[in-house]
Amino acid sequence: MMRKDIRFPCMATALLGALLIAVPQAQAKPGPHAPHELHVQAQSSLDVAPNMARLNARLWERTPAVARSKADNDTQALVEARQRLESRTGKLIRALEEAGVKSDDIKAGSLSVHPEIIAHSREGDNAEDQVRTQIARPISVTIHDLERLPSILDALTAAGVDALDGVEYDLKDRDAATDKALSKALERAKQKAQLMAKTLEVQLGDVIRIEETQSPTYAPRSMMMRAESADAKSAPEYRAGEISIDAGVSVTWEIED
């Protein structure tokens, strides 16, 4: 008896196709809905009046000018210039202490030595440039009471400083000022979010993300010293102005269903 092989090519192909279609459809099932969010960015600027300052001054002495070829042998003049500078520095520090500045608020920097070339016109074969050496020392004074700034400046001038590099205004408590600027930025973000939620008629949920977009930092305010009045007999006035502190935040709220 002969056995007949029965094949169903069309049915097998259809069944395989149905399985291939069913698998991706099962993988494409949508998951849970992502929460609705309200994203807000805000910035703030805080103006603070400075309550301290630093004065930067310089003293220097120079050696006599000598021919460039003899400059290496002029060590005695260099020693004498340094002695004069140290003597003037001591007098300046004592004058500041007499003006009421504490010793801890006076900083005398390190000595710096700079050669200076004095060029001359070349009128003959023996013409030679001259050289002198400048020895300088910076002095920094911290002032905790800004009302005493004019009297301290008078003491510096009377002591014969060679240069006053200006006033640098600052804050005694930097952390408190930067924290206040950051709080102001966060309050601004909250106000914006509440306004947007009210306008769109949605309900704010929990805060789910907070980031700083700009760290609240600032630079001390520098100002050159000058008299505000043209009358030379009147006392000079120094305006500290205000220091600006900027901060920025990014806050995300969940929107309740």
Side-chain angles (χ1 to χ4, degrees):
M1 180 176 178
M2 291 184 63
R3 187 179 62 181
K4 295 183 180 179
D5 293 333
I6 302 174
R7 299 180 181 180
F8 304 95
C10 294
M11 184 178 297
T13 303
L15 180 59
L16 179 60
L19 289 174
L20 292 175
I21 294 174
V23 170
Q25 285 180 346
Q27 292 177 347
K29 279 187 178 182
H33 294 289
H36 300 289
E37 297 177 354
L38 177 63
H39 182 70
V40 175
Q41 287 188 336
Q43 291 193 351
S44 69
S45 181
L46 181 67
D47 294 329
V48 184
N51 51 18
M52 66 172 293
R54 275 180 291 271
L55 280 173
N56 298 306
R58 285 175 292 157
L59 295 172
W60 63 64
E61 287 288 336
R62 293 187 176 98
T63 62
V66 297
R68 193 168 187 176
S69 59
K70 300 179 181 180
D72 295 337
N73 299 324
D74 200 23
T75 55
Q76 183 60 33
L78 191 61
V79 171
E80 293 175 356
R82 178 175 180 177
Q83 291 175 348
R84 293 194 304 268
L85 181 60
E86 294 292 353
S87 176
R88 292 179 59 200
T89 302
K91 291 180 180 179
L92 174 60
I93 291 175
R94 289 190 292 271
L96 290 172
E97 291 175 341
E98 292 174 0
V101 182
K102 296 181 179 180
S103 299
D104 294 340
D105 294 330
I106 304 173
K107 305 296 182 184
S110 302
L111 290 174
S112 61
V113 180
H114 302 285
E116 297 178 348
I117 299 177
I118 305 174
H120 290 271
S121 59
R122 305 286 183 176
E123 295 180 355
D125 295 337
N126 297 327
E128 186 178 0
D129 291 339
Q130 290 188 322
V131 177
R132 64 184 179 188
T133 302
Q134 175 179 290
I135 306 177
R137 192 167 192 183
I139 304 292
S140 175
V141 184
T142 301
I143 304 170
H144 297 285
D145 184 1
L146 294 182
E147 293 183 356
R148 304 185 62 184
L149 175 60
S151 61
I152 295 174
L153 283 171
D154 291 341
L156 287 170
T157 304
V161 294
D162 296 296
L164 283 171
D165 297 331
V167 185
E168 185 180 76
Y169 293 100
D170 206 341
L171 300 172
K172 295 178 182 178
D173 192 346
R174 295 188 177 192
D175 291 339
T178 54
D179 288 349
K180 189 174 182 180
L182 181 59
S183 297
K184 187 177 179 181
L186 289 169
E187 291 172 0
R188 177 57 181 156
K190 183 177 180 180
Q191 292 172 357
K192 290 177 66 175
Q194 290 174 342
L195 175 62
M196 295 168 69
K198 181 179 179 181
T199 303
L200 299 175
E201 298 180 351
V202 297
Q203 184 69 32
L204 291 179
D206 296 332
V207 174
I208 59 178
R209 186 163 50 252
I210 306 174
E211 296 178 0
E212 271 189 323
T213 57
Q214 180 178 354
S215 178
T217 56
Y218 72 97
R221 178 183 174 87
S222 298
M223 181 178 293
M224 296 302 296
M225 296 174 292
R226 63 184 180 88
E228 295 293 337
S229 173
D231 186 0
K233 296 181 181 180
S234 63
E237 297 180 8
Y238 304 100
R239 306 296 176 88
E242 292 183 328
I243 296 174
S244 295
I245 306 175
D246 298 324
V249 295
S250 173
V251 186
T252 302
W253 278 265
E254 183 180 359
I255 299 177
E256 295 182 350
D257 294 335

